């Protein structure tokens, strides 16, 4: 049996090294460790030997990628959750949905290529290059994407399209097309107003697609009016009208509708207005 004096002496004794190590480990799991990509064996994200801590990152970790190309392409489509991400003089190519909890940065010499969804409560600051490769089911649901003046945003939609080349406009007369195609980008997500940065992000996505089809496009502020079937009232809001001149072929029209439908789902709209020449269409999310 232990005496009271013996018990008090044990309570006052210093923590053993094993208890200290356990305590530190628990802190790292709660607040996250800084884990650095080394790429010592391959380009694969899910190889523990490619990380300085000898394990793959988890949702608590602060990740730094520097010097080498990384490919995130897991066998299962499970979203990859991380605390924060810093891409320095390197590139990350992600085929899995990416969930970011805190502010993350793509540095001036860094590159982030996304083939899947981007979610989370964090902000993505892009000083380098952000390339979004979208499908009709892709979603961007993150607090903010801030494109720095020196940053670059590129967008492709399912299939890469060749840019239309033509003679120099100053040396000869050149008519791109008689057809004008437009999308009206809303300024709300459901009943909530978007910030100017958020609206510009979606305008850039549409403009990125348009420029790949026709080589260029324009964007102009406007106002949209439509009758809401849900509330049985007239709805008015600011819109940005993105327009291009291109042949209104069956493929181009189908792609225009697909982008409008994706935009309606992404911004929780009953419909998004698309226009081909003098005809307008309300494209629903379904």
């Amino acid at each position: 049996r232990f005496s009271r004096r013996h018990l008090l002496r044990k309570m006052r004794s210093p923590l053993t090294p094993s208890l200290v190590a356990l305590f530190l480990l628990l802190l790292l799991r709660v607040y996250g460790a800084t884990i650095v990509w080394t790429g010592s064996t391959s380009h694969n994200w899910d190889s523990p030997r490619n990380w300085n801590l000898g394990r793959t990152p988890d949702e608590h970790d602060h990740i730094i990628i520097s010097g080498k190309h990384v490919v995130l392409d897991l066998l299962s489509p499970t979203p990859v959750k991380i605390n924060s991400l810093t891409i320095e003089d390197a590139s990350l190519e992600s085929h899995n949905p990416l969930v970011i909890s805190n502010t993350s940065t793509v540095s001036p010499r860094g590159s982030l290529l996304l083939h899947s969804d981007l979610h989370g409560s964090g902000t993505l600051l892009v000083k380098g290059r952000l390339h979004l490769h979208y499908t009709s089911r892709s979603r961007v649901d993150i607090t903010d994407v801030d494109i720095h003046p020196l940053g670059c945003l590129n967008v492709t939609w399912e299939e890469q399209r060749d840019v239309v080349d033509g003679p120099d406009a100053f040396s000869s007369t050149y008519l791109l097309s008689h057809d004008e195609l437009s999308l009206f980008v809303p300024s709300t997500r459901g009943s909530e107003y978007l910030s100017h940065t958020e609206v510009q992000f979606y305008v850039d996505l549409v403009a990125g697609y348009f420029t790949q089809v026709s080589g260029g496009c324009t964007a102009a502020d406007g106002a949209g009016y439509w009758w809401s079937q849900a509330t049985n009232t007239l709805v008015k809001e600011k819109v940005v009208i993105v327009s291009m001149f291109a042949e209104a072929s069956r493929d181009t029209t189908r792609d225009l509708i697909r982008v409008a439908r994706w935009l309606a789902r992404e911004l929780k709209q009953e419909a998004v207005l698309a226009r081909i020449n003098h005809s307008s269409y309300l494209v629903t999310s379904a």
Side-chain angles (χ1 to χ4, degrees):
R1 297 179 61 182
F2 294 103
S3 66
R4 180 178 179 184
R5 181 179 298 177
H6 179 77
L7 289 173
L8 289 174
R9 188 166 61 249
K10 293 292 288 182
M11 291 174 64
R12 292 170 184 166
S13 63
L15 292 174
T16 64
S18 59
L19 288 176
V20 172
L22 178 60
F23 178 71
L24 292 176
L25 180 61
L26 290 174
L27 281 179
L28 288 177
R29 304 312 289 176
V30 174
Y31 296 102
T34 297
I35 183 168
V36 181
W37 171 263
T38 63
S40 58
T41 61
S42 66
H43 296 299
N44 295 330
W45 174 287
D46 55 338
S47 175
R49 296 172 61 186
N50 282 329
W51 300 94
N52 69 325
L53 297 184
R55 62 171 177 83
T56 55
D58 62 24
E59 60 187 309
H60 305 289
D61 291 329
H62 304 277
I63 300 172
I64 297 177
I65 296 176
S66 178
K68 295 184 178 180
H69 180 63
V70 189
V71 177
L72 174 54
D73 191 6
L74 307 184
L75 293 178
S76 72
T78 305
V80 175
K81 299 180 180 180
I82 58 177
N83 193 332
S84 68
L85 172 68
T86 300
I87 302 176
E88 297 180 346
D89 53 339
S91 60
L92 169 61
E93 180 179 351
S94 177
H95 295 264
N96 285 74
L98 199 58
V99 182
I100 299 175
S101 300
N102 287 292
T103 300
S104 299
T105 303
V106 180
S107 300
R109 297 179 63 184
S111 176
L112 175 59
L113 172 58
L114 296 175
H115 292 275
S116 189
D117 299 351
L118 179 62
H119 299 282
S121 56
T123 295
L124 182 61
L125 176 59
V126 180
K127 297 181 179 180
R129 181 175 180 179
L130 174 62
H131 191 153
L132 304 177
H133 183 88
Y134 273 103
T135 69
S136 58
R137 297 182 180 274
S138 295
R139 290 187 61 80
V140 173
D141 186 14
I142 192 170
T143 301
D144 192 14
V145 177
D146 185 2
I147 308 295
H148 191 270
L150 298 178
C152 177
L153 172 65
N154 293 327
V155 184
T156 55
W157 290 85
E158 290 191 337
E159 296 178 359
Q160 178 72 38
R161 295 180 174 274
D162 294 330
V163 174
V164 177
D165 294 321
D168 191 314
F170 292 101
S171 62
S172 62
T173 302
Y174 182 66
L175 183 63
L176 285 174
S177 173
H178 290 290
D179 299 318
E180 181 181 9
L181 295 84
S182 305
L183 272 182
F184 289 63
V185 179
S187 59
T188 57
R189 179 182 287 109
S191 59
E192 299 179 358
Y193 284 97
L194 299 173
S195 67
H196 173 76
T197 301
E198 290 174 312
V199 174
Q200 190 60 51
F201 175 70
Y202 289 105
V203 170
D204 288 345
L205 290 179
V206 175
Y209 163 71
F210 277 12
T211 54
Q212 290 175 48
V213 173
S214 65
C217 67
T218 61
D221 294 334
Y225 297 81
W226 55 86
W227 192 262
S228 171
Q229 299 293 336
T231 61
N232 201 33
T233 57
L234 180 66
V235 177
K236 173 189 175 182
E237 69 171 280
K238 293 181 180 179
V239 296
V240 178
I241 308 167
V242 186
S243 303
M244 67 173 172
F245 290 96
E247 181 184 356
S249 64
R250 180 177 178 179
D251 289 343
T252 303
T253 302
R254 181 192 59 197
D255 289 347
L256 179 71
I257 294 173
R258 186 185 66 222
V259 175
R261 184 159 290 161
W262 174 87
L263 196 61
R265 286 199 303 267
E266 181 72 18
L267 296 181
K268 300 178 182 179
Q269 302 286 323
E270 294 179 35
V272 165
L273 186 65
R275 185 174 64 197
I276 301 176
N277 296 324
H278 300 294
S279 300
S280 299
Y281 307 89
L282 285 173
V283 182
T284 63
S285 59

